[in-house]
Amino acid sequence: MILIWFASGSSNSKELLVEPKVKLVIEKDKNELGEIVAEFQLINSGAEPINIFSVSPHCSCTDYTISSLKVNSDKSETLSLTVPWDQLKTLGEVYAVIKTDSKQKFLKVSVKAGSE
């Protein structure tokens, strides 16, 4: 006898969505300090809270703020990346990696310099 078992669902149903994943900006988007501030929504579509363990920008020129390190069920939190326009223009793109306890352990958000 052969027994085949199919599990429905996942052992970790926590899922964090990011909107947008990539933010395209141009020079006129910079603030009075010459910086670009890009906001990303971290959305918990699952039934359990999701913890944010870390946010790691790839460049020391990029700073971040996050509204909370816990994203409750059916709620969202805001992640903001701040980078000087001149640095972004030189690099073309900056990004940050978000480490969580959700189904996808690592998420990436990017800010890209566009042309006018």
Coordinates of all heavy atoms in Angstrom, one line a residue, residues 22-25 58 61 83-95 110-115:
V22 N 9.6 48.9 -6.4 CA 10.6 49.8 -7.0 C 10.0 51.2 -7.1 O 8.8 51.3 -7.6 CB 11.1 49.3 -8.4 CG1 12.0 50.3 -9.0 CG2 11.7 47.9 -8.3
K23 N 10.7 52.2 -6.7 CA 10.2 53.6 -6.8 C 11.1 54.3 -7.8 O 12.3 54.4 -7.5 CB 10.2 54.2 -5.4 CG 9.7 55.6 -5.4 CD 8.2 55.6 -5.0 CE 7.8 57.1 -4.8 NZ 6.5 57.2 -4.2
L24 N 10.5 54.8 -8.8 CA 11.3 55.6 -9.8 C 11.1 57.1 -9.5 O 10.0 57.5 -9.4 CB 10.7 55.3 -11.2 CG 11.5 55.9 -12.4 CD1 12.9 55.3 -12.5 CD2 10.8 55.6 -13.7
V25 N 12.2 57.8 -9.4 CA 12.2 59.2 -9.0 C 13.0 60.0 -10.0 O 13.9 59.5 -10.7 CB 12.7 59.4 -7.6 CG1 11.8 58.7 -6.6 CG2 14.1 58.9 -7.4
H58 N 21.9 49.0 1.2 CA 23.1 48.5 0.6 C 24.2 49.6 0.6 O 25.4 49.2 0.4 CB 22.8 48.0 -0.8 CG 23.0 48.9 -1.9 ND1 22.1 50.0 -2.1 CD2 24.0 49.1 -2.8 CE1 22.5 50.7 -3.1 NE2 23.6 50.2 -3.6
C61 N 25.0 55.8 2.2 CA 24.4 57.0 1.9 C 22.9 57.0 2.1 O 22.2 58.0 2.0 CB 24.7 57.4 0.4 SG 24.0 56.3 -0.8
V83 N 17.8 59.3 0.5 CA 19.1 59.3 -0.1 C 19.4 60.6 -0.8 O 18.4 61.2 -1.4 CB 19.2 58.1 -1.1 CG1 18.2 58.2 -2.2 CG2 20.6 58.0 -1.7
P84 N 20.6 61.2 -0.7 CA 20.9 62.4 -1.4 C 20.7 62.2 -2.9 O 21.2 61.2 -3.5 CB 22.3 62.7 -1.1 CG 22.6 62.0 0.2 CD 21.7 60.7 0.1
W85 N 20.0 63.1 -3.6 CA 19.8 63.0 -5.0 C 21.1 62.8 -5.8 O 21.2 62.0 -6.7 CB 19.0 64.2 -5.6 CG 19.1 64.2 -7.1 CD1 19.8 65.1 -7.9 CD2 18.4 63.3 -8.0 NE1 19.6 64.7 -9.2 CE2 18.7 63.7 -9.3 CE3 17.5 62.2 -7.7 CZ2 18.2 63.0 -10.4 CZ3 17.0 61.6 -8.9 CH2 17.4 61.9 -10.1
D86 N 22.1 63.6 -5.5 CA 23.4 63.5 -6.2 C 24.0 62.1 -6.1 O 24.5 61.5 -7.1 CB 24.4 64.5 -5.7 CG 24.0 65.9 -6.0 OD1 23.3 66.1 -7.0 OD2 24.5 66.9 -5.4
Q87 N 23.9 61.4 -4.9 CA 24.4 60.1 -4.8 C 23.5 59.1 -5.6 O 24.1 58.2 -6.2 CB 24.4 59.7 -3.3 CG 25.1 58.5 -2.9 CD 26.6 58.7 -3.1 OE1 27.1 59.8 -2.9 NE2 27.3 57.6 -3.4
L88 N 22.2 59.2 -5.5 CA 21.3 58.4 -6.3 C 21.6 58.5 -7.8 O 21.6 57.5 -8.5 CB 19.9 58.7 -6.0 CG 18.8 57.8 -6.7 CD1 19.0 56.3 -6.4 CD2 17.4 58.3 -6.3
K89 N 21.8 59.7 -8.2 CA 22.0 60.0 -9.6 C 23.3 59.3 -10.1 O 23.4 58.7 -11.2 CB 22.1 61.5 -9.9 CG 22.1 61.9 -11.3 CD 21.9 63.4 -11.4 CE 23.1 64.0 -12.2 NZ 23.0 65.4 -12.3
T90 N 24.3 59.3 -9.2 CA 25.6 58.6 -9.5 C 25.5 57.1 -9.5 O 26.0 56.4 -10.4 CB 26.7 59.0 -8.5 OG1 26.9 60.4 -8.5 CG2 28.0 58.3 -8.7
L91 N 24.8 56.6 -8.5 CA 24.6 55.1 -8.4 C 23.6 54.5 -9.4 O 23.7 53.4 -9.8 CB 24.3 54.7 -7.0 CG 25.3 55.0 -5.9 CD1 24.8 54.7 -4.5 CD2 26.5 54.1 -6.1
G92 N 22.5 55.3 -9.6 CA 21.4 54.8 -10.5 C 20.4 54.1 -9.7 O 19.2 54.2 -10.0
E93 N 20.7 53.4 -8.6 CA 19.8 52.7 -7.8 C 20.4 52.5 -6.4 O 21.5 52.2 -6.2 CB 19.5 51.3 -8.4 CG 18.6 50.5 -7.6 CD 18.3 49.1 -8.1 OE1 19.1 48.7 -9.0 OE2 17.4 48.4 -7.6
V94 N 19.5 52.6 -5.4 CA 19.8 52.2 -4.0 C 18.7 51.3 -3.6 O 17.6 51.3 -4.1 CB 20.0 53.4 -3.0 CG1 21.2 54.2 -3.4 CG2 18.7 54.2 -2.9
Y95 N 19.0 50.4 -2.7 CA 18.0 49.4 -2.2 C 18.3 49.1 -0.8 O 19.3 49.4 -0.2 CB 18.0 48.2 -3.1 CG 19.2 47.4 -3.1 CD1 19.4 46.4 -2.1 CD2 20.2 47.5 -4.0 CE1 20.6 45.6 -2.1 CE2 21.4 46.8 -4.0 CZ 21.5 45.8 -3.0 OH 22.7 45.1 -3.0
S110 N 13.6 49.1 -3.8 CA 14.6 49.9 -4.5 C 14.1 51.3 -4.8 O 12.9 51.5 -5.1 CB 14.9 49.2 -5.8 OG 15.4 47.9 -5.7
V111 N 15.0 52.2 -4.9 CA 14.8 53.5 -5.4 C 15.7 53.7 -6.6 O 16.9 53.5 -6.5 CB 15.1 54.6 -4.4 CG1 14.8 56.0 -4.9 CG2 14.3 54.4 -3.1
K112 N 15.1 54.0 -7.8 CA 15.9 54.2 -9.0 C 15.8 55.6 -9.5 O 14.7 56.2 -9.5 CB 15.4 53.2 -10.1 CG 15.7 51.8 -9.8 CD 15.4 50.9 -11.0 CE 15.8 49.5 -10.7 NZ 15.5 48.6 -11.8
A113 N 16.9 56.1 -10.0 CA 16.9 57.5 -10.6 C 16.5 57.4 -12.1 O 17.0 56.6 -12.9 CB 18.3 58.0 -10.5
G114 N 15.5 58.2 -12.4 CA 15.0 58.3 -13.8 C 15.5 59.5 -14.4 O 16.1 60.4 -13.8
S115 N 15.2 59.7 -15.7 CA 15.5 61.0 -16.4 C 14.2 61.8 -16.6 O 13.1 61.2 -16.7 CB 16.2 60.7 -17.7 OG 15.4 59.9 -18.5

